[in-house]
């Protein structure tokens, strides 16, 4: 999880340096929505006989999902032809 988080923070810096604040706000809202849905599902739906007593693990799993979605959305913007980095 740490390499993923390091990538997300570096991508945040690039996007903020390129003044992509609106994009970051929208993708953060999307990421939070997905992570919250993941947490809610883990807490309230019974998977594999889970009795819901693993709340801390569910928090960490949801934070990992948050960072994963943030990383994916950052990659989309970074490799976009009109993104802040000219890869070609």
């Amino acid at each position: 999880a740490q390499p993923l988080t390091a990538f997300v923070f570096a991508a945040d810096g690039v996007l903020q340096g390129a003044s992509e604040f609106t994009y970051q706000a929208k993708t953060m809202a999307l990421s939070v929505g997905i992570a919250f849905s993941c947490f809610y599902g883990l807490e309230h739906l019974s998977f594999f006989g889970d009795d819901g007593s693993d709340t801390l693990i569910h928090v960490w799993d949801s934070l990992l999902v948050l960072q994963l979605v943030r990383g994916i959305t950052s990659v989309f913007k970074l490799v976009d032809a009109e993104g802040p980095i000219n890869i070609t």
Side-chain angles (χ1 to χ4, degrees):
Q2 287 181 338
L4 173 63
T5 302
F7 168 77
V8 169
F9 291 157
D12 280 348
V14 171
L15 291 173
Q16 288 171 9
S19 297
E20 295 286 349
F21 301 114
T22 304
Y23 178 80
Q24 281 189 295
K26 290 176 183 177
T27 58
M28 188 63 180
L30 173 71
S31 301
V32 167
I34 292 172
F36 180 76
S37 298
C38 174
F39 177 75
Y40 185 83
L42 289 170
E43 277 293 297
H44 298 289
L45 302 176
S46 179
F47 293 109
F48 310 110
D50 183 17
D51 61 358
S53 64
D54 295 328
T55 300
L56 184 60
I57 293 172
H58 297 161
V59 168
W60 283 109
D61 290 343
S62 299
L63 285 172
L64 183 60
V65 168
L66 173 76
Q67 293 297 71
L68 183 63
V69 176
R70 287 183 66 206
I72 291 169
T73 57
S74 295
V75 166
F76 283 149
K77 188 63 170 181
L78 292 175
V79 300
D80 186 22
E82 295 181 16
I85 298 176
N86 187 2
I87 297 178
T88 59

